[in-house]
């Protein structure tokens, strides 16, 4: 039987550590505040944003909420970001994605002051990660590293295969695994002989957004399987990119969906908010 990697428990442990750190900062007169911007009312975004604000409340940091209508122009959004960039009392700025199609996400991400980029999406943050300099790291991949470390799973020297090459998960995930001295392969929709490639993995990270795509014939016996997917199946049931029931008997450890990677993203966002104090110039 595989070990179940409990993201809910690990994220709670991290949030409790952050609660302590927030209290220590407060005692020194430092109040941390996250500004959260949502444009439109995408139902999934509403849930994520609500949970992010609840997370701030739990660890004892402030949150400012900007819920803007769908028709907000790019210029209006950029003006708000400029205002928040200049505010001394705002440490982190998060613009929930996706944005409505009339707004260019890259332009918006680039407008955020890198010292407040708690999502780690700004090109400067990504570049810093690439060359091993201090900066914010994208929350989901950072959370996966924490999950592995706190579950006592060694990364150094391991064959890691990251399935998916998005800017938010796949690319930063591979850079973080490399930083931990793994041998890293990025596989994607154009990879030839995909099963042969994923079967090399000691640690397989699935971030493809395809419900239950990864069955046991993609997985080496005894591998660690990390499922980043949050999908709805044909019965509207929440499921990952991994076919859990099929894969669980052949792997050594696996993350469930829900309760695996998901809760770690918010924990690492809160971590970045606390870290913003020391990254401030
Ligand atoms: N949309 C889905 N995931 C994320 C995230 O981690 N940050 C932001 N800003 N938007 C998202």
């Amino acid at each position: 039987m595989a070990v179940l990697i409990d993201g809910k428990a690990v994220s709670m442990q991290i949030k409790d550590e952050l609660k302590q750190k927030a209290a220590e900062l407060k005692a020194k007169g430092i109040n941390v505040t996250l500004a959260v911007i949502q444009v439109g009312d995408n139902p999934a975004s509403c849930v994520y944003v609500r949970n992010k604000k609840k997370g701030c409340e739990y660890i004892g940091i402030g949150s400012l909420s900007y819920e803007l209508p769908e028709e907000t122009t790019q210029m209006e959004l950029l003006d708000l970001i400029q205002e928040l960039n200049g505010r001394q009392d705002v440490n982190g700025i998060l613009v929930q994605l996706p944005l409505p199609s009339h707004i260019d996400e890259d332009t918006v991400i680039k407008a955020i002051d890198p010292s407040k980029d708690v999502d780690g999406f700004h090109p400067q943050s990504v570049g810093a990660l690439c060359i091993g300099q201090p900066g914010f790291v994208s929350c989901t991949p950072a959370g996966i590293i924490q999950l592995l470390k706190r579950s006592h799973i060694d990364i150094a020297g391991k064959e890691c295969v990251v399935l998916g090459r998005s800017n938010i998960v796949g690319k930063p995930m591979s850079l973080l695994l490399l930083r931990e001295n793994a041998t890293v392969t990025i596989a994607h929709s154009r990879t030839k002989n995909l099963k042969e490639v994923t079967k090399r993995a000691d640690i397989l990270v699935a971030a493809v957004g395809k419900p239950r795509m990864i069955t046991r014939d993609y997985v080496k016996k005894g591998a660690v399987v990390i499922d980043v997917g949050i999908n709805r199946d044909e019965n509207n049931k929440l499921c990952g990119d991994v076919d859990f029931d099929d894969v669980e008997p052949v792997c050594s450890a696996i993350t469930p969906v829900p309760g695996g990677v998901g809760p770690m993203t918010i924990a690492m966002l809160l971590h970045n908010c606390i870290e913003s104090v020391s990254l401030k110039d």
Side-chain angles (χ1 to χ4, degrees):
M1 267 247 305
V3 170
L4 205 61
I5 301 175
D6 187 346
K8 218 168 161 187
V10 175
S11 70
M12 196 44 91
Q13 188 185 35
I14 292 174
K15 282 194 283 188
D16 285 334
E17 291 166 12
L18 294 169
K19 195 176 198 171
Q20 177 73 26
K21 282 192 187 154
E24 286 165 15
L25 288 171
K26 211 173 254 176
K28 288 191 218 158
I30 302 168
N31 290 303
V32 179
T33 299
L34 170 68
V36 181
I37 306 172
Q38 183 183 353
V39 185
D41 51 8
N42 176 308
S45 292
C46 292
V47 175
Y48 292 137
V49 163
R50 194 174 338 119
N51 287 338
K52 286 169 186 181
K53 288 188 286 196
K54 274 206 281 199
C56 290
E57 216 171 286
Y58 181 81
I59 71 159
I61 65 172
S63 70
L64 298 172
S65 188
Y66 296 87
E67 280 146 30
L68 309 180
E70 181 85 17
E71 320 74 73
T72 303
T73 65
Q74 179 164 310
M75 195 47 86
E76 285 167 334
L77 179 56
L78 293 174
D79 283 346
L80 173 60
I81 292 170
Q82 277 317 323
E83 180 201 321
L84 295 169
N85 281 343
R87 272 177 64 168
Q88 284 299 316
D89 60 330
V90 171
N91 306 79
I93 303 170
L94 181 148
V95 180
Q96 187 65 27
L97 305 178
L99 289 166
S101 56
H102 65 277
I103 299 179
D104 180 55
E105 284 184 358
D106 289 341
T107 305
V108 170
I109 289 168
K110 263 196 269 178
I112 297 171
D113 181 333
S115 73
K116 301 188 179 189
D117 173 38
V118 284
D119 256 330
F121 294 168
H122 192 285
Q124 187 174 312
S125 307
V126 180
L129 169 63
C130 197
I131 58 174
Q133 289 189 356
F136 293 110
V137 178
S138 182
C139 303
T140 301
I144 291 170
I145 296 290
Q146 282 302 311
L147 260 188
L148 292 170
K149 287 189 170 175
R150 289 173 187 245
S151 306
H152 310 290
I153 294 166
D154 289 333
I155 305 172
K158 295 285 175 66
E159 286 276 352
C160 295
V161 177
V162 179
L163 186 50
R165 53 178 159 177
S166 69
N167 290 340
I168 293 182
V169 182
K171 284 179 199 155
M173 185 75 254
S174 55
L175 289 168
L176 283 175
L177 289 166
L178 184 63
R179 192 162 88 178
E180 298 296 330
N181 301 307
T183 302
V184 185
T185 303
I186 306 176
H188 47 79
S189 55
R190 303 284 288 272
T191 298
K192 294 217 170 74
N193 305 320
L194 181 60
K195 288 180 186 171
E196 278 171 35
V197 174
T198 56
K199 270 198 141 153
R200 292 208 299 258
D202 300 313
I203 300 173
L204 176 62
V205 180
V208 275
K210 295 213 165 87
R212 300 197 186 98
M213 173 186 153
I214 303 303
T215 49
R216 65 172 65 187
D217 42 337
Y218 288 82
V219 179
K220 178 167 81 176
K221 192 166 186 310
V224 172
V225 178
I226 305 293
D227 190 352
V228 185
I230 303 177
N231 312 298
R232 296 266 169 198
D233 69 8
E234 58 285 356
N235 301 316
N236 209 32
K237 187 171 179 260
L238 204 63
C239 71
D241 292 347
V242 176
D243 186 336
F244 185 93
D245 293 340
D246 193 54
V247 168
E248 190 268 346
V250 302
C251 63
S252 62
I254 186 166
T255 58
V257 176
V261 173
M264 295 301 294
T265 302
I266 293 185
M268 297 318 290
L269 169 69
L270 300 169
H271 165 90
N272 283 352
C273 290
I274 296 290
E275 183 142 295
S276 68
V277 174
S278 43
L279 279 173
K280 224 173 178 180
D281 40 344

